[in-house]
Amino acid sequence: MEKIIEVQHLSKSFGTNEVLKDINFSVSKGEVVCIIGSSGSGKSTLLRCINLLEKPSGGNILYKGVNILDDKHDIFAYRTKMGMVFQQFNLFNNHNVLGNCMVGQIKVLKRSKEEARRIAMNYLKVVGMDQYVNAKPKQLSGGQKQRVAIARALSMEPDVMLFDEPTSALDPEMVGEVLKVMKKLAEAGLTMLIVTHEMEFAREVADRVVFMDKGVIEEEGPPEQIFNNPVKERTREFLKRTLEKM
Amino acid sequence: MSLEWIVKIATRYWPMFLRGAGVTLYISIIGTVMGFIIGIIVGVIRTIPIPDKLYKKIILKSINAVLTTYVEVFRGTPMIVQAMVIYYGTIMTFGIDVNRMFAGIFIVSINTGAYMAEIVRGGIISVDKGQFEAAHAIGMNHFQTMAYVVLPQAIRNILPATGNEFVINIKDTSVLNVISVTELYFQTSSVAGINFRFFEAFFIASVIYFIMTFTVTRILRYIEKKLDGPENYTMYTEHLAEETAETAGRQI
């Protein structure tokens, strides 16, 4: 299958603290990859490196075979191809729900207002937030905000959706509504890279699960392997610890 | 009798007071608006992230050095002194008598700009980092991020401080009398001088100053409320569809 993102020997340090060490992995078109691991293992940093919110210290990131870390590469155009969903939602506070989904389309992709509105409404329907177009972010619940954030990212019609712990800041009863939307997207064949603590969700939705520990990819494989027959000792320990809590 | 004199001066010289108040308001409005624009430009430039390329880095650092000097110099010297230096300085250098009103507006503008630059920078920093990240994540560059996401929020946050600058400007234009700008203080001095009635004339001036600043404060408070928008939102239903989508889209 066609590889959309290919990460080669990626490293990232904050000062002397090495957060990512020689990361190699790839995401193919239509694939749903979940990254799991304990806090501080570098999962989020990896995701943030992929859309260049963090600047990698070394290595390459290939997008459709082109190295985006190359000086000449237009990172702004590249970012429009990576839809990002944040743990803290980060909806634009100065825009209402519809505005959040339109501003990027109009100002960055230069779509017309009519087209942007049509696309935004379409994706707001997908996440079930089309009734709230006039609401401001502060008037929404966490789960609603996150669904709008997903619609905002989808409205740019990206090649890959990056989810950075999308349910970690939500109240337990709101986790379900967001996961449901994500599952729907996965079933629709969207390419997704998801950092998550929701093991059940990962097991159910992922084509491949990546387990990270202390800045390296410790193990990766299909969910059946990772969750049922993990090869590595660390993976087993981590799963035992997390699954016990549930 | 003081009261009699106040009434007498007010009735006889009200056109002078009014003209003075007009000039004061004119200079402070234009000065505040210009200062606000200068402040936003300086504030946005000073928050540009430092680029990787060496030559870009050098350019940005030199621009920042110039802007920092500007801010520090104009915040660090009294406006009354700046007025003298700039006004007589330009006369000496260019040998022409510059328009006093223009000089006054110029001085108030760059002075306000220096203060506003710091206020704007503070306003930009106060906006949540997640807003920048989300804007970058959908492909916006620094200026798009500023224009469509950060500044609208920052400006809302600095509106009270801006109003404060406006009120300060209404009062501080009085120092422009040193370069004979015919603002309220200058006019009052003239009236007082004609009649040798200083208390009465300046008492009237103080009332006029207060009315101006108080009104401005109220108006700005009203604008703040307006900007915050309604507390509630309407649900989007089919028959409202066109209308609501229309109004929602217009906000961008």
Side-chain angles (χ1 to χ4, degrees), chain B residues 228-246:
Chain B
D228 286 343
E231 283 290 306
N232 300 307
Y233 55 91
T234 48
M235 287 295 252
Y236 176 91
T237 52
E238 284 308 322
H239 76 280
L240 279 171
E242 282 310 303
E243 196 186 336
T244 45
E246 196 86 1

Side-chain angles (χ1 to χ4, degrees), chain A residues 48 79 91 94 131 139, chain B residues 131 133 136 148 231 236:
Chain A
R48 291 166 60 83
R79 278 181 179 146
L91 289 183
N94 56 319
Q131 288 198 310
Q139 296 164 325
Chain B
Q131 299 285 309
E133 289 193 344
H136 290 154
Y148 308 123
E231 283 290 306
Y236 176 91

Side-chain angles (χ1 to χ4, degrees), chain A residues 13-127:
Chain A
S13 310
F14 293 108
T16 53
N17 184 15
E18 216 179 358
V19 186
L20 295 176
K21 298 163 205 160
D22 195 33
I23 300 281
N24 291 288
F25 93 111
S26 62
V27 182
S28 302
K29 198 168 175 1
E31 205 179 14
V32 177
V33 180
C34 284
I35 306 178
I36 59 170
S38 44
S39 303
S41 58
K43 317 182 290 294
S44 290
T45 308
L46 173 58
L47 207 66
R48 291 166 60 83
C49 278
I50 287 176
N51 78 346
L52 301 178
L53 283 178
E54 302 289 352
K55 200 178 172 346
S57 313
N60 295 322
I61 298 172
L62 305 187
Y63 166 67
K64 293 185 172 169
V66 183
N67 188 6
I68 56 156
L69 296 180
D70 198 31
D71 266 355
K72 279 167 281 178
H73 201 85
D74 181 359
I75 64 166
F76 300 110
Y78 166 71
R79 278 181 179 146
T80 63
K81 297 291 173 193
M82 301 288 125
M84 181 88 173
V85 176
F86 297 88
Q87 185 176 350
Q88 298 296 339
F89 329 123
N90 298 345
L91 289 183
F92 302 137
N93 295 324
N94 56 319
H95 291 288
N96 62 16
V97 166
L98 188 60
N100 264 280
C101 298
M102 284 174 68
V103 65
Q105 297 188 65
I106 293 171
K107 302 301 179 188
V108 182
L109 299 179
K110 312 285 179 203
R111 285 179 185 156
S112 72
K113 270 192 180 173
E114 292 68 38
E115 193 187 5
R117 185 180 301 146
R118 189 175 52 74
I119 294 171
M121 284 308 292
N122 178 32
Y123 288 111
L124 281 168
K125 249 181 213 130
V126 170
V127 300

Side-chain angles (χ1 to χ4, degrees), chain B residues 16-66:
Chain B
M16 277 181 84
F17 283 111
L18 205 61
R19 227 175 299 137
V23 170
T24 289
L25 214 51
Y26 179 69
I27 292 176
S28 39
I29 286 175
I30 295 182
T32 308
V33 171
M34 294 300 287
F36 186 69
I37 294 168
I38 294 171
I40 284 187
I41 294 169
V42 175
V44 168
I45 293 175
R46 292 222 291 178
T47 49
I48 296 176
I50 294 166
D52 294 327
K53 288 223 185 70
L54 186 67
Y55 78 95
K56 279 188 183 168
K57 201 185 253 176
I58 292 169
I59 293 172
L60 185 66
K61 289 229 161 141
S62 352
I63 293 173
N64 278 344
V66 172

